[in-house]
Amino acid sequence: MPLWLKALFLQRKHSNQHHIGMDEKTMHFVIFCVGNVADALHISERETYNRMMRSGIIRSYIVPCYDVLHTFSREYIVEDLIDLMRKKGVAA
């Protein structure tokens, strides 16, 4: 788990800046998603995170759908998120 990403989430949670209302297990799932999508796209985790935040994928999809999404396989989740990123114009 990249410490910079966890630190960023915790900082935003405590400052209420861009707070996206997630508990720790959801935060770990977001980190899992960001890391695996970054690996699949061969880009940095930071860039993946920025694209997902800019497009609203974390706030409007991953966090609210955590209960369902976390039951799927890693491969399905990565493919689903990359498809969504493409639809939103933040992945090629």
Side-chain angles (χ1 to χ4, degrees), residues 2 5 10-11 19-21 24-27 29 33-34 40 50 53 55 60 74 82-83 87 91:
L5 188 55
L10 291 173
Q11 176 187 21
H19 183 257
I20 51 182
E24 192 160 343
K25 67 181 179 182
T26 307
M27 179 185 63
F29 181 69
C33 291
V34 169
N50 288 336
M53 284 299 290
S55 64
S60 64
R74 181 184 59 82
I82 291 172
D83 286 345
K87 288 178 185 171

Side-chain angles (χ1 to χ4, degrees), residues 8-70:
L8 181 63
F9 277 115
L10 291 173
Q11 176 187 21
R12 287 183 175 181
K13 181 177 180 180
H14 293 301
S15 71
N16 288 328
Q17 176 189 18
H18 305 291
H19 183 257
I20 51 182
M22 71 175 89
D23 57 21
E24 192 160 343
K25 67 181 179 182
T26 307
M27 179 185 63
H28 286 280
F29 181 69
V30 170
I31 293 168
F32 165 84
C33 291
V34 169
N36 281 284
V37 168
D39 288 345
L41 294 176
H42 306 290
I43 60 176
S44 72
E45 292 168 338
R46 188 176 303 266
E47 179 61 26
T48 303
Y49 170 80
N50 288 336
R51 292 179 188 193
M52 287 182 165
M53 284 299 290
R54 188 172 60 243
S55 64
I57 291 172
I58 293 175
R59 180 176 290 123
S60 64
Y61 183 60
I62 298 173
V63 172
C65 298
Y66 165 78
D67 288 337
V68 174
L69 283 174
H70 87 279

